Amino acid sequence: MDRHDFASIFQLPDKTPPRIRRFHDLWLAKAGGGLPQSSDFNLSALSADFPLLARIGVEGPDKKLIWRELAATERWPFGPPVENGAVTESVPPLRVKRVADAFQETLESGIPDYFETTSWFHGGRTLSLARLVAPLAAGAGRELIALWEVMEPPSPL
């Protein structure tokens, strides 16, 4: 099985937000027999349709995850991410290991990852997010592209 075959066996849940489903379809269309190239995704052009989109790179021997490029959006529901900054600096402390592990697994396996989470805040406010992260070919290595979507109200289980 080549990388594209691995990617094509990945299935999004039935209740995936439509914007994430559209982005996954775009990623699959660009894959065409392998991983899509990082250069296939112009985040500036995609920002209007996918406002919480980011390209994530890997640096150094410790494979530190770095925000390479961010969609032009005024407000992130977390973080906020800083271009060329460490991904772990934008992730809530209790979620750093889970996020880093999921992103590393996607880099190594070539298979996208989908995740939903809800955070509860003082005063009863909640924030539910869905996230799709997918691998990209980048020169001799790989990068990631990730899209978040705020879900209102939280998805029922």
Side-chain angles (χ1 to χ4, degrees):
M1 232 187 236
D2 67 20
R3 288 182 199 137
H4 182 31
D5 290 335
F6 282 125
S8 67
I9 64 170
F10 171 77
Q11 297 290 316
L12 288 168
D14 291 341
K15 294 184 180 184
T16 300
R19 187 186 327 251
I20 287 186
R21 189 168 297 286
R22 283 193 319 272
F23 186 76
H24 181 249
D25 290 344
L26 173 66
W27 181 84
L28 283 173
K30 301 267 186 197
L35 291 179
Q37 295 293 315
S38 181
S39 59
D40 290 338
F41 295 89
N42 179 332
L43 270 65
S44 295
L46 293 169
S47 289
D49 293 328
F50 306 106
L52 299 176
L53 186 64
R55 191 168 52 87
I56 300 162
V58 181
E59 282 189 0
D62 59 346
K63 298 182 179 180
K64 184 177 180 179
L65 298 168
I66 302 294
W67 298 109
R68 288 273 187 244
E69 187 179 8
L70 304 167
T73 190
E74 292 181 19
R75 189 170 165 196
W76 287 83
F78 57 83
V82 175
E83 222 166 272
N84 296 314
V87 169
T88 56
E89 293 174 8
S90 303
V91 176
L94 295 175
R95 294 194 170 102
V96 167
K97 181 170 177 17
R98 181 184 45 76
V99 170
D101 288 351
F103 285 13
Q104 289 295 345
E105 175 65 24
T106 298
L107 280 167
E108 292 169 13
S109 70
I111 300 171
D113 181 65
Y114 177 79
F115 188 76
E116 292 181 6
T117 187
T118 299
S119 297
W120 287 265
F121 300 95
H122 294 288
R125 187 174 71 88
T126 63
L127 173 65
S128 293
L129 293 173
R131 185 259 305 137
L132 173 70
V133 62
L136 301 172
R142 289 186 179 172
E143 291 185 333
L144 299 170
I145 193 156
L147 176 66
W148 287 263
E149 180 72 10
V150 175
M151 299 183 308
E152 299 294 340
S155 266
L157 298 177

